[in-house]
């Protein structure tokens, strides 16, 4: 069978066009008195764009290896290495703890270690808990289902992480104008907090890539990690100021992960071979 050629530019162009179209419309409607949950539906449709694009791209490819790879990544429990997932979860917990402790040097309170009573946002009456659950699952189907591999098929995992980190950050932009979202709240606080979110997404992408590759490119492993990160960001009572400190800690953590996994991040054997057995993971 002919070797499959990934098309990252086409994939991301479609994802951005569809997602942004729905989210820009949601931003307009969310400020209307007659919203009635329409903006929430538009947000959900925009959120699903990468996943739908990935599934359609794979299904329409006519390549059996690509289709089998997507199936393995989604339901291949045998690919998961529990120790690496536990390490990632504990590692992110340490990041949160260190961020709060360091923030006290700038006058922040230790009360941030408490759990919040509720999530910080809701959209059109949609449960925020349901929102972060959907985000973790749906995003990973898109990004790990096709998006990340489409870039990694041409670059090392390090370069891929840089590229994907910036792309992932930019993809979120319209959310800052949709009333009721966490991102909208950051924009109201000031540009510093908007930039902090966008910048913080990039090193977080390195951590997710590590989870992904260490678990033999398992989508399920990334869903677990993504869900845990989203939940921690929402349920731990960190202030916006502390989350700026957290971004610095995440950069340090990402640097340590890269330095201790240089063979994984800089090897190039997988380029062009992702669908071969040797390209599954390191």
């Amino acid at each position: 069978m002919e070797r499959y050629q990934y098309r990252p530019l086409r994939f991301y162009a479609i994802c951005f066009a569809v997602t942004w179209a729905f989210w820009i419309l949601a931003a307009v409607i969310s400020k209307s008195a007659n919203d009635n949950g329409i903006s929430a539906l538009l947000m959900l449709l925009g959120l699903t764009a990468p996943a739908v694009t990935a599934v359609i791209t794979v299904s329409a490819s006519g390549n059996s290896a690509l289709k089998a790879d997507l199936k393995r990544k989604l339901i291949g429990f045998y690919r998961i290495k529990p120790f690496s997932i536990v390490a990632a979860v504990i590692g992110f917990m340490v990041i949160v703890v260190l961020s709060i402790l360091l923030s006290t040097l700038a006058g922040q309170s230790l009360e941030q270690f408490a759990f919040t009573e509720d999530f910080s946002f809701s959209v059109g009456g949609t449960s925020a808990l349901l929102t972060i659950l959907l985000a973790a699952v749906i995003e990973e189907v898109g990004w790990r289902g096709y998006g990340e591999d489409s870039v990694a098929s041409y670059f090392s995992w390090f370069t891929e992480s840089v590229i994907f980190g910036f792309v992932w950050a930019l993809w979120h932009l319209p959310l800052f104008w949709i009333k009721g979202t966490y991102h909208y709240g950051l924009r109201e606080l000031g540009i510093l907090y908007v930039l902090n979110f966008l910048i913080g997404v990039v090193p977080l992408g390195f951590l997710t890539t590590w989870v992904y590759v260490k678990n033999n490119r398992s989508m399920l492993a990334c869903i677990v990690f993504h869900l845990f990160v989203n939940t921690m960001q929402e349920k731990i009572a960190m202030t916006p100021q502390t989350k700026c400190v957290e971004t610095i800690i995440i950069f340090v953590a990402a640097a340590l992960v890269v330095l201790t996994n240089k063979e994984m991040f800089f090897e190039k054997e997988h380029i062009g071979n992702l669908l071969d057995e040797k390209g599954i993971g390191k």
Side-chain angles (χ1 to χ4, degrees):
M1 178 176 290
E2 183 179 354
R3 184 179 294 272
Y4 179 77
Q5 182 177 358
Y6 285 92
R7 294 173 173 80
L9 292 179
R10 183 183 68 182
F11 173 79
Y12 284 107
I14 294 173
C15 290
F16 270 72
V18 176
T19 295
W20 281 23
F22 282 122
W23 285 358
I24 290 172
L25 185 57
V28 174
I29 294 177
S30 69
K31 299 175 181 63
S32 168
N34 299 316
D35 183 346
N36 296 322
I38 297 175
S39 63
L41 176 60
L42 292 170
M43 277 190 62
L44 177 60
L45 291 173
L47 177 66
T48 62
V52 172
T53 304
V55 172
I56 292 177
T57 298
V58 173
S59 299
S61 68
N63 188 284
S64 59
L66 184 65
K67 295 177 182 179
D69 189 58
L70 177 62
K71 182 179 178 180
R72 282 198 305 266
K73 286 189 291 185
L74 183 59
I75 63 175
F77 294 97
Y78 66 91
R79 300 164 73 91
I80 294 178
K81 298 179 179 178
F83 175 78
S84 64
I85 300 179
V86 172
V89 167
I90 293 176
F92 196 80
M93 290 176 63
V94 172
I95 288 172
V96 171
V97 170
L98 287 177
S99 300
I100 293 175
L101 292 176
L102 288 174
S103 74
T104 62
L105 300 176
Q108 299 299 302
S109 172
L110 286 175
E111 292 180 359
Q112 295 175 94
F113 280 115
F115 289 104
T116 59
E117 293 184 4
D118 200 357
F119 291 87
S120 66
F121 70 98
S122 62
V123 180
T126 302
S127 164
L129 175 59
L130 178 60
T131 300
I132 66 171
L133 285 169
L134 287 173
V137 176
I138 296 174
E139 280 193 55
E140 292 306 324
V141 171
W143 303 139
R144 253 48 70 175
Y146 189 90
E148 185 162 15
D149 287 350
S150 71
V151 179
S153 63
Y154 298 99
F155 301 99
S156 69
W157 290 109
F158 179 86
T159 302
E160 181 278 326
S161 296
V162 174
I163 295 172
F164 176 73
F166 280 103
V167 170
W168 192 23
L170 290 175
W171 179 75
H172 288 86
L173 274 179
L175 293 174
F176 292 98
W177 281 267
I178 302 178
K179 189 175 181 179
T181 64
Y182 168 75
H183 308 77
Y184 187 88
L186 291 178
R187 191 169 69 89
E188 289 189 318
L189 289 174
I191 187 65
L192 171 64
Y193 301 104
V194 172
L195 292 175
N196 179 64
F197 175 88
L198 295 174
I199 292 170
V201 167
V202 178
L204 186 59
F206 277 85
L207 301 183
T208 307
T209 294
W210 180 80
V211 171
Y212 181 56
V213 180
K214 279 295 182 181
N215 284 278
N216 298 312
R217 294 172 49 243
S218 168
M219 193 186 302
L220 284 172
C222 291
I223 289 173
V224 171
F225 181 63
H226 194 154
L227 178 59
F228 179 79
V229 170
N230 282 357
T231 303
M232 289 287 285
Q233 294 296 85
E234 277 293 314
K235 292 303 293 180
I236 302 299
M238 286 189 290
T239 64
Q241 293 79 10
T242 298
K243 288 189 177 181
C244 292
V245 177
E246 182 187 41
T247 295
I248 297 173
I249 304 300
I250 293 176
F251 264 105
V252 174
L256 289 174
V257 166
V258 171
L259 288 174
T260 55
N261 294 272
K262 289 189 288 186
E263 181 180 355
M264 187 206 90
F265 275 100
F266 293 101
E267 61 84 15
K268 296 183 179 180
E269 293 179 14
H270 70 275
I271 295 177
N273 298 309
L274 281 175
L275 299 180
D276 298 339
E277 189 63 28
K278 67 177 181 178
I280 287 178
K282 283 281 184 179

